Amino acid sequence: MSFEIVTLSKQLIAGLTTVLPTPESFDDISAMSKVKSEYLEKYKQEASKLAKFAQDENVYGINFNDANQNYLVGVKVNDVPTGYASFSTPAGIFAKFTTKAADRNQIDQFIGAAYGELGQSDEYGIGGNYNLEVVNNFVNDADTFTLFLPAVKK
């Protein structure tokens, strides 16, 4: 698995959010993947409402940790529409990983492997407690899944 280092501007994502179940182990992330899949389906019902605020054509997923492990699915916005949750990623460097579309459980295993790859890099380390996903493959039938992990130069 390889990655490319890219620079992203600040991203403000607004949409639907939920707390994820904590996996028993990395080998069994099915409960977490199931909840993410459910929220992607729930997003599809809200898509037309959020589309008018979207700054691009992508649908994003964000895994982030505060007191809990959370998942937000939505669109990039300038301002958060009333009634929606949001998460803002700072500008900076990110490790970009891409794979062909697969089921949610396989994608979450891919994410875990991507963290391992970045963590073992000689040049870059993990730079945050969140990641940014482009989930068009689950919502718009695109053929790739893209993951951005915040990175720091060692």
Side-chain angles (χ1 to χ4, degrees):
M1 171 183 292
S2 62
F3 61 88
E4 168 188 4
I5 294 296
V6 297
T7 301
L8 296 179
S9 59
K10 180 180 176 179
Q11 312 277 323
L12 177 60
I13 309 299
L16 307 174
T17 190
T18 189
V19 173
L20 293 172
T22 302
E24 301 271 334
S25 71
F26 180 70
D27 294 329
D28 185 15
I29 56 173
S30 59
M32 180 183 71
S33 296
K34 181 176 186 270
V35 171
K36 286 182 178 183
S37 292
E38 290 168 357
Y39 261 72
L40 287 162
E41 287 302 315
K42 189 173 180 180
Y43 167 81
K44 288 179 184 181
Q45 297 170 12
E46 293 284 322
S48 63
K49 294 177 190 173
L50 278 166
K52 60 186 167 194
F53 302 103
Q55 299 302 303
D56 63 25
E57 297 296 316
N58 292 320
V59 179
Y60 298 91
I62 299 181
N63 292 284
F64 64 97
N65 292 310
D66 48 23
N68 298 299
Q69 186 173 351
N70 302 279
Y71 188 65
L72 182 141
V73 61
V75 296
K76 186 188 319 180
V77 297
N78 285 328
D79 297 300
V80 179
T82 302
Y84 291 99
S86 67
F87 187 88
S88 182
T89 64
I93 60 170
F94 290 77
K96 178 183 177 183
F97 296 84
T98 304
T99 188
K100 290 294 180 185
D103 71 38
R104 187 69 237 196
N105 196 53
Q106 290 172 327
I107 291 295
D108 287 330
Q109 290 173 348
F110 173 80
I111 293 169
Y115 271 102
E117 185 76 18
L118 182 57
Q120 294 175 23
S121 170
D122 292 333
E123 294 183 60
Y124 295 94
I126 299 167
N129 64 348
Y130 64 92
N131 67 50
L132 178 66
E133 307 170 354
V134 179
V135 294
N136 296 338
N137 59 318
F138 294 112
V139 179
N140 300 328
D141 297 323
D143 67 351
T144 59
F145 171 87
T146 304
L147 172 69
F148 295 95
L149 299 181
V152 292
K153 188 139 177 83
K154 290 183 177 176

